[in-house]
Amino acid sequence: MKSELNENALLEGLAQNDRLAIETLYRQHYKMVQALIINNQGTIDDARDIFQETMIVLYEKAKSGNFELNCQIKTYVYSVSRRLWLKRLQQLQKYVPNVNGMDEIVPVEEEVELAEQRNADFQLMEKAMMNLGEPCKSLLEAFYVQKKSMTEIAGNFGYTNADNAKNQKYKCLMRLKKIFFAQYKNESA
Amino acid sequence: MEELQMLDAVERYIRGQMNSQEKEYFEQLRKSNPEVDQLVVAHTMFLNQLNKYGEQKNFKAVLNEVHHDLVEAGEIKEKAPQAKVFDLFRRNKKVWAVAACIAGVTALAIAGMVSYYTQKTNTLVLENLSRQIKQDMAKTKREVRNELNDTKKAIPKIPETAVPISGGTGFLIDVKGFIVTNAHVVNDATNVVVQNNKQQEYRAKTVYINPVTDIAILKIVDEDFKSFPSLPYGIKKTGADLGEQLFTLGYPRDEIVYNEGYMSAKTGYKGDTMYCQIGISANPGNSGGPVFNKNGEVIGMINTRQLQAEGVVFAVTAKNIFRSLEDARKDTAFGNVKLNSNSSIKNLDRTQQVKKIEDCVFMVKSY
């Protein structure tokens, strides 16, 4: 029972973005995923990609609060990674009759589909950010990603006061919105 | 500016940073103005996306950091820990090295052998269809002696010890014993002997030879030879049409052999207009054999075949035979030779035609 408690604690830590929890999970499971990917036509970079994607799935799950893990984290991580890698192989049109490794897997279709959606959204926003250009990109990221305060940002970016920075930020935000929604419509059309 | 203020208001509303009075006013506005409402909905969704983006980006950054740290600390090795193939490779390095060496040597040897042997055949694309007559010298002698003992009829036309160097086919173009064959059949010959399908041999001499057109004309100079009353076949100057049925007689072996085929192309190897291509099976010994159309008219004379291809045989066209004869008339005394252009076996069936023709087709042996 002790390990179960530990696992729950780990997930809680993960949800709160706790560095130690992330590191522990990383140390516990990365090797297994790497072996899986490499034994099935993947590279080191693929392994890293897939594992991090899996970690994001786990992170989102843990954060959502209604995550009830009814198996070991290890099994869950393995199942998600395996599913993700199979999808990737399918996209690359490589045929893999049987991804071998552990037999014990849990159904993770839903999570993987969600992850795909999330990835698509992420890429959409990333692309919009790329098209936005500097200094808008840095400004917006400072506020919305790094969650810095307007005064801090004004100092960093050399605006005379926070209000000025705020105005600039809204201008940038409007442009980003325009780019984003243009792409969004394209994608959904 | 208004837009910016609006955006500010919307964002503060969404983030719950408005005081109650302001909020009430804004909600009123939202209800009365669908555009504002639309803006709020869209912005909420957008901020949501942006938030998620931020979270993911942060999380990914942390993951990368952790990955980097763990690699640095040696907790994670960026190589396959359980890849069996690599493991096997490492364990059996020496064996692999030896195997590789052997494989390399074998590959080189095979490549060498292949190139050595292919060189020879590549240079020879066309093969002359004259036959190397491989007769054991002793055997020839014995046979000749036996024949001498058994029957006095067959008198050998050649010295006992001679061995033919090559053989081909030839056919009469004149009743007095003029025979056409390929130049390559009699090229190196000091003596030429022709033999008909009844195994009778006659001495002949070369009266005309042209290696360029590959045509030679022989004259039978033997008292045993009795001139024919007439030739059954004629020689057709105009050639044959594509797809026309053709047949040939020749001596790829000691027996006369019949073969059937068709006209494949009006030119020879690489578009050579002196020749035509025939789809027929021909073997060494068929060289100089006449090619007949269904009327029993000579339309050509077999001379080569393409080595890499199946059933591709080339023949000298009849027109060239005419031309050679004209050439020959100029300087030798056979002005009275006249090529027959009518065929008397036109409407006979094939077996009858062959029966008549075979007497006029000879095996040509060079000594």
Side-chain angles (χ1 to χ4, degrees):
Chain A
M1 283 300 110
K2 202 186 166 204
S3 70
E4 222 168 81
L5 277 176
N6 267 347
E7 295 217 320
N8 279 333
L10 270 179
L11 287 181
E12 265 169 44
L14 182 66
Q16 280 149 26
N17 232 330
D18 175 34
R19 168 87 195 232
L20 191 66
I22 296 173
E23 209 175 299
T24 312
L25 284 172
Y26 217 105
R27 195 179 297 134
Q28 282 175 350
H29 305 303
Y30 176 74
K31 279 181 195 164
M32 168 187 72
V33 173
Q34 184 177 261
L36 168 75
I37 304 296
I38 285 179
N39 284 336
N40 289 288
Q41 312 185 20
T43 63
I44 293 288
D45 289 337
D46 288 331
R48 183 175 168 155
D49 251 29
I50 293 289
F51 182 71
Q52 296 196 348
E53 225 171 287
T54 309
M55 284 296 277
I56 292 172
V57 170
L58 199 62
Y59 170 65
E60 293 285 335
K61 271 278 176 192
K63 234 175 28 158
S64 69
N66 56 6
F67 182 39
E68 271 181 35
L69 193 61
N70 41 21
C71 61
Q72 280 188 309
I73 293 183
K74 185 184 165 91
T75 312
Y76 186 77
V77 165
Y78 178 82
S79 305
V80 173
S81 295
R82 178 178 178 277
R83 194 76 218 124
L84 284 172
W85 182 234
L86 276 176
K87 280 242 158 141
R88 181 80 63 92
L89 284 177
Q90 235 169 32
Q91 279 160 7
L92 295 173
Q93 304 205 312
K94 283 184 185 168
Y95 176 67
V96 179
N98 223 339
V99 167
N100 46 25
M102 290 198 311
D103 288 324
E104 195 190 337
I105 45 171
V106 288
V108 285
E109 275 306 317
E110 207 179 313
E111 280 95 326
V112 168
E113 259 162 45
L114 274 177
E116 265 178 5
Q117 183 56 42
R118 204 162 42 233
N119 257 342
D121 287 347
F122 183 82
Q123 274 163 12
L124 206 63
M125 188 59 87
E126 200 174 35
K127 224 167 122 191
M129 280 284 194
M130 284 296 177
N131 286 335
L132 192 62
E134 297 293 349
C136 272
K137 183 170 175 268
S138 306
L139 190 64
L140 289 180
E141 282 194 346
F143 186 77
Y144 288 102
V145 178
Q146 289 148 32
K147 316 267 187 213
K148 287 181 182 163
S149 72
M150 269 345 273
T151 23
E152 205 179 330
I153 291 172
N156 282 350
F157 286 79
Y159 293 107
T160 44
N161 58 40
D163 270 347
N164 249 345
K166 204 169 171 183
N167 265 341
Q168 189 57 41
K169 187 204 83 180
Y170 280 128
K171 274 184 196 163
C172 290
L173 191 65
M174 266 161 66
R175 275 184 53 211
L176 181 67
K177 256 175 95 170
K178 218 175 257 172
I179 297 172
F180 177 78
F181 278 110
Q183 281 179 356
Y184 192 74
K185 268 170 205 149
N186 273 347
E187 293 277 305
S188 42
Chain B
M1 264 308 146
E2 220 174 80
E3 245 180 302
L4 290 190
Q5 273 166 0
M6 195 65 203
L7 198 59
D8 183 41
V10 170
E11 195 161 321
R12 277 197 298 136
Y13 172 71
I14 292 169
R15 291 177 165 234
Q17 287 168 344
M18 284 177 164
N19 59 36
S20 55
Q21 205 184 341
E22 227 180 337
K23 195 174 170 187
E24 209 171 304
Y25 173 73
F26 189 81
E27 271 170 1
Q28 204 75 42
L29 187 67
R30 199 180 155 185
K31 263 179 208 156
S32 58
N33 193 340
E35 262 180 57
V36 175
D37 188 49
Q38 173 67 30
L39 192 63
V40 172
V41 171
H43 199 70
T44 311
M45 179 261 185
F46 180 69
L47 277 190
N48 204 5
Q49 288 284 351
L50 202 55
N51 248 340
K52 273 193 197 161
Y53 170 77
E55 265 176 22
Q56 265 200 54
K57 209 170 155 98
N58 280 334
F59 190 67
K60 273 188 186 174
V62 175
L63 281 178
N64 273 331
E65 239 174 77
V66 168
H67 188 95
H68 183 76
D69 286 356
L70 288 179
V71 170
E72 289 279 282
E75 300 255 8
I76 291 177
K77 289 189 184 69
E78 283 209 319
K79 65 181 172 194
Q82 284 147 28
K84 287 171 201 155
V85 177
F86 285 114
D87 239 29
L88 277 177
F89 178 73
R90 217 168 297 126
R91 232 176 286 152
N92 302 331
K93 245 181 203 167
K94 271 183 197 166
V95 179
W96 281 108
V98 171
C101 282
I102 293 172
V105 169
T106 317
L108 276 177
I110 290 173
M113 270 157 70
V114 165
S115 64
Y116 178 74
Y117 284 112
T118 44
Q119 247 174 9
K120 278 186 188 166
T121 46
N122 274 348
T123 50
L124 195 69
V125 178
L126 294 177
E127 180 194 24
N128 283 329
L129 290 174
S130 58
R131 185 161 62 113
Q132 304 303 316
I133 300 179
K134 285 187 206 131
Q135 264 175 326
D136 204 23
M137 214 198 266
K139 194 182 158 201
T140 324
K141 264 198 262 177
R142 196 178 61 234
E143 271 179 5
V144 169
R145 226 174 264 136
N146 282 346
E147 274 174 25
L148 271 177
N149 293 343
D150 291 350
T151 61
K152 295 281 179 202
K153 251 194 276 173
I155 300 154
K157 306 295 182 188
I158 44 159
E160 264 184 43
T161 51
V163 177
I165 48 172
S166 77
T169 307
F171 60 99
L172 284 176
I173 51 167
D174 185 89
V175 290
K176 290 181 290 296
F178 285 97
I179 289 175
V180 177
T181 185
N182 280 135
H184 69 255
V185 175
V186 290
N187 229 354
D188 309 317
T190 45
N191 282 307
V192 180
V193 168
V194 296
Q195 176 185 322
N196 68 8
N197 59 332
K198 297 179 187 80
Q199 315 286 312
Q200 288 163 331
E201 288 177 326
Y202 305 105
R203 273 194 297 274
K205 68 172 188 196
T206 311
V207 291
Y208 170 85
I209 187 159
N210 187 347
V212 179
T213 55
D214 202 14
I215 291 175
I217 299 174
L218 312 175
K219 167 105 174 73
I220 296 177
V221 283
D222 201 304
E223 49 274 24
D224 290 351
F225 179 73
K226 290 178 189 71
S227 51
F228 284 61
S230 72
L231 290 182
Y233 48 82
I235 294 176
K236 195 177 181 226
K237 220 177 187 174
T238 48
D241 289 322
L242 286 189
E244 213 175 308
Q245 289 293 325
L246 305 171
F247 67 96
T248 184
L249 287 166
Y251 290 91
R253 27 189 296 231
D254 285 332
E255 202 66 31
I256 192 161
V257 171
Y258 169 86
N259 256 316
E260 252 179 31
Y262 47 85
M263 185 78 172
S264 309
K266 288 204 166 181
T267 58
Y269 184 61
K270 290 185 176 163
D272 193 338
T273 50
M274 294 214 301
Y275 302 93
C276 57
Q277 184 189 327
I278 292 168
I280 204 163
S281 80
N283 293 301
N286 270 110
S287 246
V291 181
F292 298 96
N293 63 12
K294 66 174 192 305
N295 293 336
E297 295 162 322
V298 177
I299 61 106
M301 176 172 69
I302 287 177
N303 80 319
T304 52
R305 70 172 170 186
Q306 195 167 341
L307 276 180
Q308 271 93 17
E310 190 69 22
V312 175
V313 172
F314 299 108
V316 184
T317 57
K319 207 157 107 192
N320 269 308
I321 300 175
F322 268 97
R323 217 175 277 157
S324 301
L325 200 64
E326 272 163 30
D327 257 17
R329 276 204 192 105
K330 278 177 204 161
D331 51 15
T332 32
F334 52 102
N336 53 353
V337 172
K338 220 177 156 211
L339 289 181
N340 193 3
S341 57
N342 292 326
S343 165
S344 62
I345 51 173
K346 201 166 178 175
N347 293 319
L348 298 180
D349 69 8
R350 187 57 53 84
T351 44
Q352 297 300 316
Q353 284 178 340
V354 172
K355 241 171 223 164
K356 301 242 172 172
I357 294 168
E358 64 181 352
D359 292 337
C360 307
V361 179
F362 290 82
M363 187 199 299
V364 179
K365 293 192 277 190
S366 308
Y367 293 90

